[in-house]
Every structure is written in structure tokens, then in C-alpha cells.
Amino acid sequence: MAESSGKRVPLPWPEGTEILYLVDISSFVFRAYYSVKGLSTARGEPTNALFGVANMLVSLFKDYEPSHVAVAMDSRTPTFRREIYPAYKANRPPPPEDLKVQFPFVRELVEAFDLAVLQRDGFEADDLIATAARTAVRSGLKVVVVSADKDLMQLVGPDVVMLDTMKEKLWDAAAVEEKWGVPPSLLGDLLAIGGDSSDNIPGVPRVGPKTAAPLLAEHGGLEQLLANLDKLGSKALAARLAEHAEAARMSRRLVELAEVEGAVDLGATRHGPPSKERLGPVLDRFELKRLKERLFGVDAEPRPPAPDVEYRTIATLDGLRAAAEEIRAAGRFAVDLETTSVSPVLAEIVGVALSWRPLEAAYVPIAHAAGPSLPLADVLAALRPLLEDPSLGAVAQNAKYEEIIFRRHGVRMANVAFDPMLASYLLRGEGRAHNLDALAKEILGRSTVTYEEVTEKARGTQLAFAEVTVERATRYSGEDAEVALALADAMAPRIEAAGLRSLLADVELPLGRVLAAMELAGVRIDADLLGEMSIDYAVALAALEKDAYAAAGHELNLASPKQLQQVLFEELGLPSQRKTKTGYSTDSEVLELLAPLHPLPAILVEHRLLAKLKGTYLDALPRLVNPATGRIHTSFNQTVTATGRLSSSNPNLQNIPIRTDRGRDIRRAFVAEPGNVLLSADYSQIELRVLAHISEDAELVAAFRAGEDVHARTARAVFGIPAGAEVPREKRAQAKAINFGVIYGKTEFSLAKELGIPRGEARRFIDGYFALHVGVARYMEETIASARETLSVATMLGRRRELPDLASANHNVRQAAERMARNTPIQGTAADLLKLAMIRVDRRLAAERLRARMILTVHDELVLEVPEDEVDRAKTAVREEMENALELRVPLVVDTGVGQSWAEAH
């Protein structure tokens, strides 16, 4: 068995003491379900609750090596407590469907651990644990109750403790008394008075534990307290206890832990270490390989990455040419580059790995500090015919990275047929890591050598990859190529079965090539202008600081939450909003709520905005200019967002404010090269147009087909503005907020907050909208109903998003998932549409041999750098391809603009 994790909580008894561990499995099932989100097997079976329970059991056996164990499960029929009080637990909703399906899984897991199971119809797990604990103590055993249930704390005493393995907390009698104010012997009386809303135990209204604890401690118990009500100092409290005395007595019977005759055989609880032969296959079936390793130490002994793997070094050009012939005969191959940088625009090639047969790979060293190496030019000459031949199928993990580097060396990959990273993202966008090591572990069941391991030097320092020996590089890089090929074979059928082949082959893979060209092209910035703006912002920030000091009445550190809390809520007496671990929140949302009440919050909001823009863009962008190209090369990410939208990093251009003067200021610094202009092409109201299409709402469809102002039309309907009358600007703005609020699932509360109106008025606005747009209302209802059945939603192109929280018992969690179910098909389809447009624009520019090139995409906008003599042709080509990227019931409209800077063009 593997060594202890070191997280073992010390027990109060000497080593060698015989201890019975009683596991409250039902409690852990529910806690695990709500603590862990989004886990499922590759077959789609939810396993979040199972994972939590398995983790708890593995921790128990690994850290405590128990000799006696039993697992308690709840009754399959109503318990005796329902006879005492029919409303007992009546307010509990049924378990979510994705939890219910895991109950048999948990039973299968417990049986694989070969654990004694305590279960009796008519009794709860708590009763069986209490019976077993009392029986064990009478037999001379000590007891550890593995749970966090407060009801079971009644059992705690000299021979019984409670262990919460999730929080690594041990409850002895002193800890229980410190928590509740009474010893465990009086906890049942305390719970009877306080009641329990989760179990629907009535107790005594408006008498909580803090009030009841000293009374019970003074009088010695519930009955003694009820017999001495005339001695209480508070007549109102005495009257309340007298009025509800019978409810308290009934509650006491409900919380009392019953004795279940004949329910426990202590001999059956004796247990040795879990059997790898019996438990291992179950952990494998539910893809809990990490837990299997923790328990059995399967990685303790070195093992090959796969049976009969062969990785070899190609150290001669003849050997490389022979490999190229074999690849051409095979018809497909995986390629993996080893380089000097994670940035493909800066990276230099150190070596190339190739795999074209299962379990085999070859590594071509190019720039290692020692050992054999081949000239880069010769290697590229041998590989170019393979990489540029569309009849061959290339596999690459994160193919965009390889493509950018090859393009820098004059090689254009024309045949990427599979990318495991993109395939993983399409199969499950959330809750899964898409890197090669994680996919190898999850899908192939293989542990791979990590980059950190292969570059590790003595004393923990890291080598540059060029310093790694060729032998180690062959082992590492060959594995990467070979595993990528194996993943393609394993994942392609899953892509096909999920109906995602076209989305991968016709959208994501060709988009990768477009993004590679965009990243390589980069964008020019005016560093001098940014420097001037940075100075102006510094002056403005200094002025805002003085304004803040004047509003506060003294100097303070505007970046210190503690000082802001003191000034805002103590000195100025402004109403506090949300409480955090460090005090009341002073985030921007809170400050905006407080702004109408005092000048300081508005000053702080403006100061934060300027400071963020200055640090994130004005000061940072010049440092990101590539010295070789003089341009910024942002990275576009395909596998980050759940909706399918692209994101960008280094720098993140998606967060530049679009509609503010400050944002436009920053866009002035993005400029065209001399002799060129920037062309901006922006979809008009794309998400509303997608909504009109998929909802088939007659009003929306008619408005877009007629070319009407949709927001003005909504304003007329919601606010009763006569046809032909001018729509006031503020009413149109409110209607716009309503139109987009519907897409994002805004409630009347959030809409009221955004518009600064009463909730009732916001509710009337929303009701008015749905009264006008019956098709949208029907779409929203049908989408939620369908999503609840599959716990997922899909875009028009078949991109799926898993939403397990639709089955959550937590209202807020479920409501958030419903909002995602409403907006994901709209936002995701809009994202897919833009991707199709980018692919079409790229092909059109190439077909017409235009020198114009796409350089940026932000939200629904494309930005191109265009030679001045191509502007009209490029504008026509871009608009036509974008407006015809997808056939909808309503026309797609693209707004274009041209200028020397991004701000001028937008």
C-alpha cells in the first residue's frame, strides 16, 4: 500500500488500539455531489458524487489502515420518524437525476471495498451507526464515526469521536461542547429546541442554539428546563417554551438516535486492506485512476509508457528520408516539435518527433547542445513534401503551435486531419484538461513523462530543452508524437458518435490555420502614443487621488480594502453590502451601488478603471512588441470558453472597453503599417438575429427582414409609444437592455439594477417583452425543458455544452444553469458563425490574391490590414463572405469602417 499522505488527523487513543470505523456514506454522497462539479466518464456517466465517496474511502484506508469498518446506508422505505411526525423531511426535494443514477455506483464501490453494510428498512443510517457504536463500546472497541452530521455528535464521548475527512477535523467531546455550548449528552435536547429546517423538525420557534445552550447547561436537560419555566428571567421566552413544549418533546424523539436490535455483527466489520484485484477494476471502470494510484501505488515502480513501445533517434539524413518514405506509404503521421519557447512566434526548433505506426516513434535532433544533430534546413526539406501534401493526414496536439513555427520557416501545413486538444474541447469543453498528459491518462490510461521531468536537473533546477540529452529527448518527444497518434485513433470514433466530425473538420481545424496566420501577422501599435496616454492617465489618477482624499476627509491608500472598509462603512456610515472573509466587500459592483449616496465611491470606480487600463494596456503593450517584427502577436485561444467563443491572451484584447471613450482612446494606438489602412467589419446585432432564427419569433423575424431598428420597435411595444412617434433615446436604451437581457437570462432584479428602476417596473418590462415576442418565450421554455432531459444544450452547428447543474437541488445553482441553457445556443451559434466567416474571408482573400490580411478578432468584429489600393475590393469580399457565412431566416448585416487606426475604422 502507498505511504500515508501525511493528512492523518491524530486520534486520542494509543497506537494498537482496536478501532471500529463507522462510515456515514449517505452524508458523503450528498456532500460530494454538491462539492465536486462536472465529473463524468468518457461514456458520459456522471461520477462527481462517486468520486467524492471514493476519495473519502481511499483516504480512510490509506491514512488509517482500519481493522474494523462498516458502512451505514439509509432505509429504502419511510422510517419510523414519519409515523411520529408525517411532515418529517417532507420539504426535501427528490435527489437530482444525475445524482440518483450514481446511487448504484456507490453501492458497487462499497461492495468492491468488501465492506460490511449496515442497512435496515424503517431506520436511518444514523440509527445504525448509533447502534453499532454502542455495541462496539460495550465490546471494548473504540469508535470513529466518519461523518460531519451534527446529529451523530450525540454519540461522541471518551470512546467515540467523529472524523470529518473532507475537512480533516476531529470532533471529541470538548470540540462538540465548544461548537454548541453543551456537552454531547445534551446535544439532542439542544437540537430539539432549535429544530432543523433541512429535516423539517419544528423545534421551538425563534429559540436558537445560542439561547437554548445556557438554559440547558443550567437546568440539565429539556425536561428539567420545561419543569422550571417559572424560574426563567424572560417571561416571553418562558411563554414561548411553554406554548411549544410538546413540539420540543416530539422534536426530541425525532433527533434521538434509535437502537436497532440485531442490526450489527461486529465480526463482519473486521477488514484488511482493500483488494487490488477486486477494487481495481471498479476504479478503472469509473475512470478513477488517480485514486487507484493513491491506494495501491501503481506508479511506485517504473513502467514503460505502453507495451512494446519503440522510440528511436534518427541521426542521419538517409534515415530521415527513409522515414519520410514510410510515412508516405502509411498515409498519415503525427508530428511534434520541441522548441525553445512556449511562444510560437519566438520559438526556435530543437527537434522534431514523428509517429506513423502504433506504439512507434522517431525523434530527429536538430539543435541539442551535445549529441547528434541534423541541419534544420535539411530536416525541413525532407518534411516539407509531407506537411504540404493534402493527401496525407497529419495529427498534432495543439496544431496551431506547430503551424506557426513551420510557417516562419516557409512550410505551410496543408493536411492537419486531427488535433486531440480540439477534439477533447468539442467532446467536453468544461471539466477536463485538454493537454496531452491529461488526455493520455484519461483516455489511454497511460502515464506520460512530463516536460518538467525531462528537463529536471540535479537539485531541482530546470534545463533548457536544448540541454537535454538526445536520448532523453527521444524518449519524451517520441512519446508525445506516438500518444498523439494513439489519441487520434481513440478519439475519432467518439467525435463521430457525438456528431462532431463536421464541427472539427470544417470549423475548428481550418480555423486553426486562419488563427495561425493572424498570430504570425500581428498588429502594429503606436508606442509613442501609448506613452503619452500613460502620462495623461498618471496625471488623471493623481487628481482622482486628491479628490478621494477630499471626499474621505483625509489621505488613505486607495488600493487597501481594509482602509476602504473603514472609511466607507465606519467613518462615512454607508450601508455595507456583501460580506467577505476579510470584511465587507469594496468591489466595483458595491461601489457603483453606493455611488448615488456619496462622492467617494464614484471616484474610486473611476480611479480603478484608469489604473487598470494604464497597467494592462498603456504600460504593458509596448513591452509586448516583438523586436524582430515590431508588432504585437496576441495568442488566440480555441479551447477556453464554454460557448465556443475565441479568447485572446498576451495581451487579452477581448477586455478593451468597446463603447467607452477610454476604450476608443486605447484603440487609437492600434495602427496600420504605412501604405495600409485598417478595415473593421462588425456583425450588427448578431445574437439577436440568431435568436430570431432559432426561436422563429414572428415579430423579430419581421423586424429584421424589414431592416427596422429592433430596439426602437421593442421600446414602442413595451412603453406604449405610438407608431410614427419618435422613440426617446433613454427608452431605446432601456429596450436594448431588455432585448439583450433576455439572451443573458436576466431577472427583474438584475434588469432593475442595470436600469436603475424598481423591480416591479423591470418585471413589467420583461412581461411586456414576452407578450410581444411569443416565439422567444416558447423557445426559452422548450430549451429549458429539453436541456433538463439531457443536461446539455447545443448550437446550430452541433457544439454541445454539458450543464449538470440543471439537476441541482440548489435553487441559485440551478437558476444559473438555466441561464446558460438559454444563452449558450445563441452565443455559441454566434461564435460558430464568426468562425465560419473567418474561414470564408481567408479563402476569399487567397482566391482573389489580395494582400489584405486578418490581424484581429474581438467579439463579433474582424480587423484587417489592407493595402490602400485594395480597400474597395477587400471591403466587398469581407462583407459578402461574412453576410453569407450561415443561412438564417433573417439577413446578416455587417458594418464596415476604414481608418489609419482601429478607433478610426470602428
Side-chain angles (χ1 to χ4, degrees):
M1 191 179 290
E3 300 210 1
S4 169
S5 65
K7 291 186 176 181
R8 171 177 173 145
V9 179
L11 300 178
W13 307 300
E15 289 290 331
T17 301
E18 278 201 290
I19 302 170
L20 170 62
Y21 289 81
L22 297 169
V23 180
D24 179 13
I25 207 78
S26 300
S27 167
F28 278 99
V29 168
F30 283 90
R31 290 177 72 196
Y33 174 79
Y34 291 110
S35 297
V36 182
K37 295 295 181 185
L39 287 185
S40 63
T41 65
R43 301 179 298 277
E45 298 166 314
T47 56
N48 53 327
L50 180 73
F51 171 80
V53 172
N55 191 57
M56 180 274 298
L57 290 174
V58 168
S59 294
L60 182 68
F61 277 92
K62 184 166 174 287
D63 293 339
Y64 293 91
E65 301 183 0
S67 60
H68 296 74
V69 189
V71 167
M73 294 185 172
D74 281 326
S75 169
R76 291 160 293 197
T77 62
T79 70
F80 72 92
R81 291 177 176 85
R82 281 286 180 90
E83 298 175 9
I84 298 173
Y85 184 49
Y88 177 69
K89 291 189 177 181
N91 59 342
R92 288 195 177 184
E97 288 301 318
D98 63 327
L99 171 58
K100 198 183 297 183
V101 299
Q102 295 183 65
F103 292 157
F105 300 167
V106 172
R107 186 78 187 220
E108 185 178 348
L109 178 76
V110 168
E111 290 174 354
F113 267 95
D114 198 21
L115 300 175
V117 175
L118 307 177
Q119 188 174 37
R120 179 74 64 87
D121 285 348
F123 294 92
E124 295 182 33
D126 290 3
D127 300 315
L128 296 159
I129 288 173
T131 302
R134 293 162 185 155
T135 303
V137 170
R138 288 194 294 267
S139 301
L141 295 175
K142 305 298 184 186
V143 175
V144 174
V145 177
V146 185
S147 177
D149 189 342
K150 62 181 181 299
D151 293 338
L152 290 171
M153 291 182 183
Q154 298 177 71
L155 298 171
V156 170
D159 301 310
V160 180
V161 295
M162 191 165 85
L163 175 65
D164 183 350
T165 55
M166 283 189 174
K167 294 185 177 179
E168 298 170 21
K169 168 75 174 176
L170 187 79
W171 294 91
D172 57 13
V176 171
E177 187 164 2
E178 181 182 357
K179 164 80 174 173
W180 296 103
V182 294
S185 59
L186 291 177
L187 183 56
D189 294 336
L190 185 74
L191 297 174
I193 294 175
D196 188 337
S197 59
S198 64
D199 288 345
N200 208 29
I201 296 174
V204 178
R206 301 194 304 281
V207 179
K210 290 186 178 179
T211 301
L215 297 175
L216 290 171
E218 178 183 354
H219 294 278
L222 175 62
E223 288 302 330
Q224 294 90 325
L225 172 61
L226 294 176
N228 291 279
L229 294 180
D230 56 331
K231 297 178 182 178
L232 296 187
S234 170
K235 291 184 179 180
L237 178 58
R240 192 174 301 121
L241 288 167
E243 179 185 355
H244 298 282
E246 288 309 310
R249 290 188 174 100
M250 180 190 68
S251 298
R252 183 67 182 87
R253 291 163 63 199
L254 293 174
V255 302
E256 184 176 4
L257 301 174
E259 189 84 20
V260 187
E261 186 176 351
V264 178
D265 175 7
L266 288 181
T269 68
R270 186 172 291 279
H271 198 282
S275 163
K276 183 177 180 181
E277 289 70 26
R278 181 166 183 178
L279 179 58
V282 175
L283 295 176
D284 288 340
R285 167 168 138 58
F286 292 109
E287 300 173 12
L288 303 177
K289 296 181 176 60
R290 293 277 186 189
L291 295 181
K292 181 180 176 183
E293 290 175 12
R294 284 186 57 209
L295 189 59
F296 298 117
V298 293
D299 285 341
E301 297 179 4
R303 57 175 181 162
D308 301 323
V309 167
E310 180 185 344
Y311 303 145
R312 59 191 174 91
T313 303
I314 296 178
T316 67
L317 287 175
D318 286 342
L320 179 57
R321 294 186 188 105
E325 291 179 9
E326 291 183 22
I327 289 172
R328 186 166 294 283
R332 63 161 194 162
F333 64 104
V335 60
D336 180 77
L337 291 175
E338 297 305 335
T339 67
T340 59
S341 173
V342 295
S343 169
V345 178
L346 300 173
E348 297 300 331
I349 299 174
V350 176
V352 184
L354 302 163
S355 177
W356 58 97
R357 284 193 290 263
L359 305 179
E360 295 183 20
Y363 180 65
V364 184
I366 293 171
H368 284 269
S373 285
L374 294 180
L376 175 60
D378 291 340
V379 174
L380 292 176
L383 295 182
R384 178 180 283 106
L386 302 177
L387 294 166
E388 294 185 346
D389 185 348
S391 69
L392 298 177
V395 174
Q397 168 77 1
N398 190 11
K400 176 162 67 72
Y401 180 87
E402 266 76 11
E403 185 141 4
I404 292 171
I405 295 173
F406 279 129
R407 281 192 184 218
R408 285 174 47 216
H409 291 86
V411 177
R412 295 176 68 91
M413 295 181 73
N415 53 12
V416 177
F418 203 89
D419 182 336
M421 182 180 78
L422 292 178
S424 172
Y425 173 65
L426 292 182
L427 287 168
R428 194 168 76 214
E430 294 176 285
R432 166 190 275 167
H434 307 298
N435 62 75
L436 195 73
D437 294 333
L439 294 178
K441 173 70 77 174
E442 178 185 347
I443 294 172
L444 304 178
R446 291 174 54 177
S447 296
T448 53
V449 177
T450 67
Y451 182 85
E452 289 72 21
E453 289 170 339
V454 78
T455 57
E456 186 176 17
K457 190 181 178 183
R459 299 178 183 171
T461 58
Q462 296 295 130
L463 297 168
F465 199 85
E467 299 174 298
V468 173
T469 65
V470 170
E471 181 182 5
R472 294 187 74 187
T474 298
R475 167 72 179 80
Y476 167 77
S477 191
E479 180 181 66
D480 278 359
E482 180 263 316
V483 165
L485 193 69
L487 284 170
D489 289 340
M491 298 175 80
R494 299 184 188 187
I495 287 287
E496 189 73 36
L500 295 169
R501 183 183 60 80
S502 177
L503 192 58
L504 178 63
D506 301 330
V507 180
E508 295 296 348
L509 287 174
L511 178 70
R513 290 191 283 273
V514 175
L515 295 176
M518 292 171 64
E519 290 185 25
L520 194 55
V523 60
R524 184 179 177 220
I525 63 165
D526 187 336
D528 292 338
L529 176 59
L530 288 172
E532 293 170 7
M533 291 171 62
S534 180
I535 293 172
D536 292 341
Y537 273 46
V539 172
L541 286 167
L544 285 170
E545 285 184 9
K546 289 183 179 179
D547 292 343
Y549 300 160
H554 57 80
E555 291 190 5
L556 72 157
N557 181 356
L558 302 191
S560 168
K562 284 188 176 293
Q563 289 190 35
L564 292 180
Q565 289 164 11
Q566 181 178 344
V567 172
L568 292 171
F569 307 127
E570 295 179 23
E571 296 176 17
L572 299 179
L574 296 175
S576 55
Q577 304 294 319
R578 290 193 313 275
K579 188 115 184 232
T580 69
K581 292 180 179 179
T582 58
Y584 288 103
S585 173
T586 59
D587 65 15
S588 296
E589 185 178 356
V590 168
L591 294 177
E592 287 171 3
L593 288 173
L594 298 177
L597 306 178
H598 193 276
L600 180 58
I603 295 170
L604 294 173
V605 169
E606 181 70 7
H607 186 276
R608 285 183 184 177
L609 174 61
L610 263 63
K612 180 178 180 181
L613 293 177
K614 183 177 185 296
T616 305
Y617 298 109
L618 306 185
D619 297 338
L621 288 179
R623 295 195 296 267
L624 294 175
V625 172
N626 185 315
T629 65
R631 295 165 75 94
I632 284 177
H633 301 268
T634 188
S635 295
F636 294 103
N637 309 309
Q638 286 176 266
T639 61
V640 173
T641 69
T643 61
R645 277 194 175 277
L646 294 170
S647 68
S648 63
S649 54
N650 298 318
N652 179 0
L653 302 179
Q654 311 292 323
N655 288 343
I656 297 178
I658 299 175
R659 298 177 179 86
T660 67
D661 291 339
R662 301 291 187 188
R664 283 188 284 274
D665 274 350
I666 294 172
R667 288 181 176 218
R668 285 195 296 125
F670 288 77
V671 296
E673 291 285 354
N676 291 263
V677 294
L678 296 186
L679 166 64
S680 167
D682 195 359
Y683 274 119
S684 171
Q685 300 173 335
I686 183 62
E687 291 181 351
L688 288 177
R689 293 173 191 271
V690 170
L691 174 61
H693 173 82
I694 61 180
S695 70
E696 302 182 41
D697 182 84
E699 285 288 329
L700 269 183
V701 170
F704 281 123
R705 284 179 176 175
E708 290 187 37
D709 182 335
V710 174
H711 302 317
R713 185 177 177 128
T714 299
R716 286 194 174 90
V718 172
F719 304 120
I721 301 171
E726 185 176 352
V727 176
R729 186 174 179 179
E730 69 275 8
K731 293 300 182 185
R732 185 186 183 278
Q734 289 180 332
K736 182 177 181 179
I738 296 168
N739 280 330
F740 284 105
V742 167
I743 292 175
Y744 297 111
K746 286 185 177 177
T747 63
E748 65 264 26
F749 177 82
S750 55
L751 185 62
K753 181 178 172 184
E754 179 180 350
L755 298 180
I757 60 177
R759 286 179 62 182
E761 190 173 353
R763 179 72 262 168
R764 286 194 298 275
F765 288 178
I766 293 174
D767 290 343
Y769 176 91
F770 283 121
L772 175 67
H773 297 292
V774 177
V776 174
R778 181 179 62 250
Y779 160 75
M780 295 298 181
E781 292 174 3
E782 291 176 352
T783 298
I784 293 297
S786 173
R788 284 201 185 103
E789 291 181 5
T790 62
L791 299 182
S792 66
V793 289
T795 69
M796 285 177 59
L797 272 63
R799 185 185 304 276
R800 300 199 69 80
R801 182 179 187 180
E802 304 297 323
L803 294 172
D805 286 343
L806 285 170
S808 173
N810 183 300
H811 173 75
N812 291 334
V813 171
R814 187 173 65 252
Q815 194 174 57
E818 289 175 356
R819 286 195 293 272
M820 294 177 195
R822 289 187 185 96
N823 68 45
T824 296
I826 302 166
Q827 289 182 300
T829 297
D832 290 342
L833 197 159
L834 182 71
K835 291 178 176 181
L836 287 173
M838 294 172 68
I839 296 166
R840 290 172 63 105
V841 167
D842 181 72
R843 289 173 179 167
R844 175 77 173 268
L845 296 177
E848 295 194 14
R849 300 184 182 279
L850 295 175
R851 290 165 292 155
R853 54 183 180 173
M854 279 182 285
I855 57 173
L856 291 176
T857 177
V858 178
H859 304 301
D860 305 319
E861 177 185 10
L862 297 182
V863 181
L864 294 86
E865 191 169 45
V866 184
E868 292 175 348
D869 59 354
E870 290 184 0
V871 170
D872 291 339
R873 291 177 62 198
K875 188 187 296 185
T876 299
V878 170
R879 181 184 286 116
E880 287 179 356
E881 296 307 320
M882 290 180 71
E883 290 183 346
N884 291 283
L886 194 63
E887 186 175 346
L888 301 181
R889 292 181 176 86
V890 299
L892 292 172
V893 175
V894 174
D895 299 322
T896 60
V898 174
Q900 289 298 320
S901 73
W902 189 7
E904 288 180 16
H906 193 268

